[in-house]
Amino acid sequence: MTDNTRTLTRARIATSVAFGLQGFLLAAILTQLPQYKDLFELSETLVVVAVVTVSVIAGLGSVLAEMLAVRTSSKMTLRTGLAVIAVFGGATGIAPNAAMFFVFLAIYGIGLGMVDAAANMQAVSIQHAKGRFILSSFHASWSVGAIVGALFISATAGLDISIRVTQVIAGVVVGLMLLAFGPQLLDRSESPVAEANITSTAKFAVPTRAFVLLGVAMALFYAVDFSVGNWSTLYVKDELLADAGTAALSVAAYQIAALVARLTGDYWVGKFGETTVVRIGSLIGVVGMTVVVLAQSPAVAIAGFLIVGLGVPVIAPICFSAAGRMAPPDQVDAVIARINLFNYVGTVVGGGIVGAVAAFSDLRIGFLIPLAFCAILTVLAPAFAPKRATTPVAENAA
């Protein structure tokens, strides 16, 4: 094994850990929101607004990630973002009142956006150095982290550990893992491909139409993803009259299926290509959401959410991969940070519009929206095979 291969292997492991840590801490915070609601006597509306606001603020974090990556590197940006979420995600557990809780949550949101963007910058650079599609495996690590985070909260609740102590422990875990794996992230100087990935001050060279189409696709996926994560349990409980334990299986089914999709995504893309995988994944999403909308029992609806999870979650890593491929090597970090902004547009749409439709009618009608989004994604599939852009930096790197 050459030194370069060892460096890329270590960087791939470290970046996978970063994805996992983000999923772990986010799940730890979101699954404890009902406890925070009781602790600080918050209304349901205020909790929902807080979650959506974090998504909006995370967009600012993605912008900051681009600025920091330009001046330093994606490695420094990712380490900074992880430090922010470790400190302020953990600090939500020791907030003395609701006001400070929301302050800590907002700063955590900025770090969340930085990690989102910088982790994908690292992943795309490693993929370019490897010369084959591997981005789905990084997103699978996020899913693993989210599952571990939810199980962690469940275990500490079973041991009767307070939410304050639990949240601080979660933040400490992220901090310790950052210290252990942060130094192994990819430096530009350690790989010829990564070295070329220096965001220049030249004019943004990505074709506008191609970028916007990918951005729309990214937003549509995250709208579907957030709709399932945010509203599926309520749908199964209120519309189909399931008990709370059964209703919770809707999210579990989706997340487990998403993990399967992402673990196998690299293989499917390597065998059939990005466009085909996106089209088939979107069609699977259409089938799954149709089952959800037509379901007359909790079991059928849960099966529908599982089907959706088997199809659409692989779209996000393919989108980041396509964005990185169409960017000139000296602008990859900037393109990844900017395409990541559509992530938060999608979460706001998924949380806001579906909820608004449900408020005027019901969630069965509300879920027609993510169904339509899956259908639109099938049409956008060709956008996932953009032409590679070149700049003088790219030519020199070649």
Side-chain angles (χ1 to χ4, degrees), residues 43-357:
S43 66
E44 290 280 358
T45 301
L46 191 57
V47 171
V48 173
V49 169
V51 173
V52 174
T53 301
V54 167
S55 295
V56 174
I57 292 174
L60 172 60
S62 191
V63 173
L64 291 176
E66 177 186 345
M67 296 170 61
L68 185 57
V70 168
R71 290 162 176 76
T72 58
S73 66
S74 60
K75 176 179 180 176
M76 176 61 70
T77 304
L78 181 51
R79 293 175 71 174
T80 301
L82 286 169
V84 171
I85 67 170
V87 172
F88 290 95
T92 58
I94 57 174
N97 50 51
M100 289 307 299
F101 171 75
F102 287 123
V103 169
F104 292 153
L105 195 64
I107 300 174
Y108 163 81
I110 293 174
L112 180 69
M114 294 179 69
V115 174
D116 251 345
N120 280 288
M121 291 176 193
Q122 282 275 307
V124 168
S125 292
I126 294 167
Q127 176 172 285
H128 286 177
K130 287 281 188 179
R132 57 187 174 85
F133 184 86
I134 59 172
L135 214 65
S136 187
S137 63
F138 290 110
H139 286 247
S141 297
W142 187 97
S143 296
V144 171
I147 292 170
V148 171
L151 292 175
F152 168 72
I153 297 303
S154 177
T156 54
L159 294 172
D160 203 26
I161 299 174
S162 73
I163 61 172
R164 293 187 179 279
V165 173
T166 297
Q167 203 61 58
V168 170
I169 292 173
V172 170
V173 167
V174 174
L176 292 176
M177 295 294 278
L178 168 60
L179 291 175
F181 289 93
Q184 299 173 34
L185 294 168
L186 192 66
D187 273 322
R188 287 173 176 154
S189 59
E190 293 176 333
S191 166
V193 175
E195 189 173 6
N197 185 17
I198 301 172
T199 310
S200 70
T201 57
K203 183 180 179 181
F204 199 59
V206 173
T208 301
R209 182 176 182 275
F211 178 81
V212 170
L213 287 176
L214 273 180
V216 169
M218 176 80 84
L220 291 177
F221 160 70
Y222 278 105
V224 174
D225 182 74
F226 198 77
S227 296
V228 174
N230 203 51
W231 300 112
S232 60
T233 299
L234 192 63
Y235 173 68
V236 175
K237 182 176 180 291
D238 289 357
E239 300 294 331
L240 302 176
L241 306 178
D243 59 72
T246 300
L249 294 176
S250 58
V251 175
Y254 175 77
Q255 290 296 347
I256 291 171
L259 176 58
V260 172
R262 287 169 171 170
L263 285 173
T264 59
D266 293 345
Y267 170 79
W268 297 122
V269 171
K271 187 173 180 64
F272 298 108
E274 290 96 331
T275 300
T276 300
V277 172
V278 169
R279 184 173 286 118
I280 293 175
S282 302
L283 287 172
I284 292 173
V286 169
V287 172
M289 289 307 309
T290 301
V291 171
V292 168
V293 170
L294 297 178
Q296 298 300 313
S297 70
V300 173
I302 291 168
F305 289 122
L306 184 145
I307 293 170
V308 175
L310 290 174
V312 296
V314 77
I315 290 175
I318 296 176
C319 192
F320 279 113
S321 175
R325 187 171 64 254
M326 75 176 177
D330 60 327
Q331 294 186 355
V332 170
D333 286 354
V335 172
I336 295 301
R338 296 183 193 188
I339 205 75
N340 185 59
L341 292 172
F342 290 91
N343 170 348
Y344 309 114
V345 173
T347 58
V348 171
V349 169
I353 294 182
V354 173
V357 171

